[in-house]
Amino acid sequence: MPQIFHHSTNALAKLTIYGAVFILVALLWIAVELNRSSWNTGQWVERQQPVQFSHKHHVGDDGIDCRYCHTSVETAASAGLPATTTCMNCHKQIWADSSYLEPVRESFRTGKPIEWIRVHDLPDFAYFNHSIHVNKGVGCSTCHGQVDQMPIAYQASTLQMEWCLGCHRNPENFVRPKEKVFDMQFRQENKTNDEIAEGRSLVTKYHIQPPNVLTSCSTCHR
Amino acid sequence: MADEPHNLGPLHHSTAPVVAPGLTFASVTDKISSIVLKRKTPLWWFLGFALSFILFQLLLLTITKLVFEGIGLWGVNVPVAWGMDILNFVWWIGIGHAGTLISAILLLLRQKWRTSINRFAEAMTLFAVAQAGMYPIMHLGRPWLAYWLFPYPNTMGIWPQFRSPLMWDVFAVSTYATVSAMFWFVGLIPDFATLRDRARSKPFQLLYGLLAMGWRGSARHWHRYEMAYLLLAGLATPLVLSVHTIVSFDFAVGIIPGWHATIFPPYFVAGAIYAGFAMVLLLTIPLRKLYGLESFITMRHMHNMAKVMLATGLIVGYGYVMEAFFGWYSGNHYERFMIWNRMHGPYSGYYWALILCNIITPQFLWIKKLRSNLLVLWLLSLVVSIGMWLERFVIVVTSLHRDFLPSSWGMYQPSTWDWTMFIGTIGFFFTLLFLFIRFLPMISIFEMRTILPDAEVEE
């Protein structure tokens, strides 16, 4: 009886069996990497806005406080976006003729708000409240990065659940004194033993709930 | 071809040979492989396959509709949130257990009679598990996220709930499916080689050749093969007990009256084997007749399977009695009401039908004359299969529809789509089964050869 397969198929068969293990592991690894990559999360991706607005200029160079524009950050779930009139407070005097600012003036004339593109967009099934975080010593830059150095704002974190839980499980690694919350230069994370010890005392001082409460499903999924 | 003695009556069934006398190595191989390779595909095969395939389309239709509309399509709702989907899951997975018992436990116990039916029963196991697995996945509501059930390094930073029996189910059933598939495939390798060597057309030579994985039948091959097969049998043996034990935990770990009972694991395992053997009988009796396999699957097999069915049926019956007894003996208000409600409540018809099907009917198996009548045996198996379905209905529905708070009481009515899903899985099961009997040897050729008188070695 003639052979159906050439004898080299023996080697091929062994190769495929062992190869399958590596291919499966590699595929799994690729899937995991892609899932955490900025391609999937949108982290680091700069968002072009209808107006060429630079946080670097306004916050870094001019020293305007976050709350001047994001007025409701201490009292509401949403930090809030400024009305066009807030822009015009200054820009009726400064750069009043700049062509870059024409969309702002047009908005002011017509009363139609500027349609800013949201940079940090949490999924709708996650409940998030800015005020509780800001009032318990979570700094702006901890989540949003050093905005004073961003000519164009980008999403500074992955916004994936493991990222949220990183702080909810160990708040002492991130919490800072309340008066430093809006300080862009303050450290974003407590790394040394002393910093973490300070974080721990702040957790007690600010009555931050223990991890079993902070990581309960219904804390964020209501 | 060897003679095929049809009259096996005078032989006592326990001393009767496992296979009919007169078979030789060559005739065994010829007869089984010819079903796949030579014989013309009979008309009933086409009819049966077509019918199964049509019913299978019902399943695809239901699943498509379910994905788009959500599980509200089914009749499940509070308080009966586990309706037909979970009871059918338990029903199908139970059926699979006979295959594993026959292939693994009976192999380790050196029960030679298992050889004629193990391949078929294992295939049945695999196909039944495939049906069973679909139900909980579809019940998730978002079945495309079913992989969330597995503990893998995910971006949510959490593990699945390991304390939930539903999580244990994932491991139990996926292990069961994997080990069963491996056991089945490894068992098929020498037979694939036989088919490869006998196939005439090139595509089939290639197909069976690939599946045979270079099997040449050398002494070294056989040595390793036997070792691997025995190891897999060892792995599969605890699964016979563990899988349905864990399935029973889905209920027993809950606090619902009628579920929270320590008797559940053994009683579920016995029920699974009971239902499984009923299904094996239900399928082998017609198949053996249609393909003329009476010399391989003899009356001894039928008697043995009937006896296993009777024994497990008695255990299941004991389970029912104990359930009722403990309901009363607990003195617990809710447990007592649950038992009373089962017997006299709105679903009492199901309960008494279940008692009739699962306790009363199998008592006929004591009588040898009835056991020897294949039509009677087939009908009894059918009744038991229905009875085991009713058992799951009673457990799932009657416990849920009347729980602690009368304000949350309700009724359960399976929707049309519940039925199309169930009928669809039956169609899928038979579609796979028809393909199996057409393209693979339904009886293990090489193992059959080892139990022939010719194979006996005199020292």
Side-chain angles (χ1 to χ4, degrees), chain B residues 128-252:
Chain B
V129 172
Q131 313 312 320
M134 252 181 299
Y135 281 100
I137 291 176
M138 289 301 145
H139 191 106
L140 294 173
R142 291 191 290 169
W144 51 93
L145 298 177
Y147 64 91
W148 283 11
L149 291 164
F150 288 98
Y152 67 101
N154 60 62
T155 59
M156 292 169 278
I158 46 169
W159 296 110
Q161 177 55 282
F162 287 112
R163 285 175 295 185
S164 162
L166 304 182
M167 190 66 233
W168 311 341
D169 245 8
V170 173
F171 293 111
V173 176
S174 57
T175 310
Y176 186 45
T178 315
V179 173
S180 303
M182 270 172 48
F183 199 55
W184 190 61
F185 180 75
V186 169
L188 270 164
I189 288 175
D191 282 1
F192 280 136
T194 308
L195 292 176
R196 170 197 63 196
D197 297 342
R198 292 181 156 237
R200 301 258 173 75
S201 68
K202 191 81 185 170
F204 278 103
Q205 283 181 343
L206 279 175
L207 176 71
Y208 291 126
L210 276 176
L211 293 169
M213 298 174 96
W215 180 266
R216 293 188 305 279
S218 70
R220 187 185 289 179
H221 279 185
W222 280 113
H223 174 70
R224 286 178 181 168
Y225 176 86
E226 295 285 347
M227 192 62 85
Y229 200 59
L230 212 59
L231 281 175
L232 280 173
L235 271 178
T237 302
L239 289 178
V240 178
L241 301 174
S242 71
V243 177
H244 230 61
T245 297
I246 286 171
V247 169
S248 80
F249 285 164
D250 291 347
F251 301 98

Side-chain angles (χ1 to χ4, degrees), chain B residues 13 40 102 190 247 251 273 288 323 346 348 367 377 392 396:
Chain B
H13 58 261
K40 222 170 139 250
I102 291 169
V247 169
F251 301 98
I273 294 163
R288 147 184 202 273
E323 241 184 350
S348 60
I367 304 159
L377 195 56
R392 277 69 178 247
V396 172

Side-chain angles (χ1 to χ4, degrees), chain A residues 4 36 160-162 165 169, chain B residues 154-157 196 206:
Chain A
I4 304 169
R36 292 193 167 94
Q160 281 171 329
M161 185 168 150
E162 61 181 358
L165 288 176
R169 282 179 177 144
Chain B
N154 60 62
T155 59
M156 292 169 278
R196 170 197 63 196
L206 279 175

Side-chain angles (χ1 to χ4, degrees), chain B residues 201-433:
Chain B
S201 68
K202 191 81 185 170
F204 278 103
Q205 283 181 343
L206 279 175
L207 176 71
Y208 291 126
L210 276 176
L211 293 169
M213 298 174 96
W215 180 266
R216 293 188 305 279
S218 70
R220 187 185 289 179
H221 279 185
W222 280 113
H223 174 70
R224 286 178 181 168
Y225 176 86
E226 295 285 347
M227 192 62 85
Y229 200 59
L230 212 59
L231 281 175
L232 280 173
L235 271 178
T237 302
L239 289 178
V240 178
L241 301 174
S242 71
V243 177
H244 230 61
T245 297
I246 286 171
V247 169
S248 80
F249 285 164
D250 291 347
F251 301 98
V253 171
I255 54 161
I256 298 289
W259 285 5
H260 197 59
T262 46
I263 198 164
F264 263 39
Y267 146 60
F268 263 54
V269 171
I273 294 163
Y274 187 40
F277 271 85
M279 188 54 95
V280 176
L281 279 169
L282 210 55
L283 298 173
T284 21
I285 291 172
L287 263 185
R288 147 184 202 273
K289 183 86 193 154
L290 287 164
Y291 277 121
L293 297 172
E294 284 93 342
S295 47
F296 297 119
I297 306 169
T298 60
M299 280 316 286
R300 184 166 159 196
H301 294 100
M302 298 296 151
H303 281 293
N304 282 354
M305 286 195 273
K307 283 175 188 167
V308 174
M309 214 163 85
L310 178 58
T312 47
L314 290 173
I315 300 175
V316 169
Y318 174 78
Y320 297 150
V321 173
M322 281 302 121
E323 241 184 350
F325 171 73
F326 282 120
W328 167 78
Y329 187 68
S330 68
N332 182 303
H333 185 70
Y334 299 102
E335 290 285 336
R336 282 190 175 180
F337 171 74
M338 180 276 299
I339 284 296
W340 181 90
N341 181 51
R342 269 188 192 175
M343 293 174 178
H344 304 100
Y347 292 108
S348 60
Y350 288 86
Y351 183 76
W352 294 114
L354 141 78
I355 298 295
L356 181 73
C357 291
N358 279 358
I359 303 188
I360 314 290
T361 325
Q363 301 312 319
F364 291 117
L365 291 170
W366 289 106
I367 304 159
K368 195 176 156 197
K369 204 168 179 184
L370 290 177
R371 220 161 54 208
S372 311
N373 185 328
L374 289 181
L375 182 66
V376 173
L377 195 56
W378 190 82
L379 287 174
L380 283 176
S381 305
L382 185 66
V383 169
V384 168
S385 292
I386 296 169
M388 287 310 292
W389 189 88
L390 288 170
E391 179 203 296
R392 277 69 178 247
F393 186 94
V394 166
I395 290 173
V396 172
V397 177
T398 62
S399 297
L400 282 175
H401 90 125
R402 295 270 185 271
D403 68 357
F404 302 98
L405 280 177
S407 60
S408 63
W409 287 2
M411 290 295 285
Y412 170 71
Q413 185 66 47
S415 75
T416 316
W417 294 104
D418 276 309
W419 288 108
T420 53
M421 177 106 183
F422 183 47
I423 294 166
T425 49
I426 293 175
F428 189 24
F429 177 77
F430 277 100
T431 303
L432 292 170
L433 209 63

Side-chain angles (χ1 to χ4, degrees), chain B residues 102-139:
Chain B
I102 291 169
S103 49
I105 294 189
L106 296 189
L107 175 79
L108 296 181
L109 295 179
R110 297 177 197 278
Q111 294 294 307
K112 281 185 174 177
W113 61 276
R114 73 177 265 290
T115 306
S116 308
I117 49 170
N118 75 326
R119 168 76 43 77
F120 182 79
E122 283 166 29
M124 187 198 74
T125 297
L126 269 183
F127 303 154
V129 172
Q131 313 312 320
M134 252 181 299
Y135 281 100
I137 291 176
M138 289 301 145
H139 191 106

